[in-house]
Amino acid sequence: MPIDATQPYNDTNIFARILRGEIPSQRVYEDEWAVAFHDIAPQAPVHILVIPRGAYASWDDFSARASADEIAGFVRAVGHVAREHGLVAPGYRLLANVGAHGGQEVAHLHVHLFGGAPLGPMLSR
């Protein structure tokens, strides 16, 4: 169910619980800024979620409140995961949903990294 992007951060969300190790994940990368893991319901041959370690509800929240180091570290982590999975040369897609109209379902910033096959048009409409 899509969420309101203006709601405050709730540390009981699934990604906060993954960060704390309460819920298992198939991690492919982690550093001081971010954790990346395979999506449990992949929508492409490669479907990895990258989340910041900080408590940010959405891209809007992150871009407004994160430090320059957090932002740089997170963006570098996304790029690193794409390179490590061989996605750069054939191409890949990044998706960060924000709020109800954007289809955001978990109130913790997360970037979907899709690749491994041609992905088609951005929107089907």
Side-chain angles (χ1 to χ4, degrees), residues 22-43:
E22 296 170 4
I23 296 175
S25 63
Q26 188 181 356
R27 293 183 183 202
V28 297
Y29 178 79
E30 58 186 302
D31 65 15
E32 67 182 295
W33 308 111
V35 172
F37 50 91
H38 289 284
D39 192 287
I40 61 169
Q43 302 297 305

Side-chain angles (χ1 to χ4, degrees), residues 82-99:
R83 287 187 298 279
E84 288 295 307
H85 284 81
L87 299 177
V88 177
Y92 62 96
R93 179 173 295 156
L94 296 176
L95 176 68
N97 299 317
V98 179

Side-chain angles (χ1 to χ4, degrees), residues 3-4 7 16 18 22-23 27 30 32 38 40 45 66 76 89 95 99 106 110-111 121-123:
I3 58 129
D4 176 354
Q7 71 185 38
I18 287 171
E22 296 170 4
I23 296 175
R27 293 183 183 202
E30 58 186 302
E32 67 182 295
H38 289 284
I40 61 169
R76 286 188 177 111
L95 176 68
V106 178
H110 55 288
V111 172
M122 284 290 295
L123 299 173

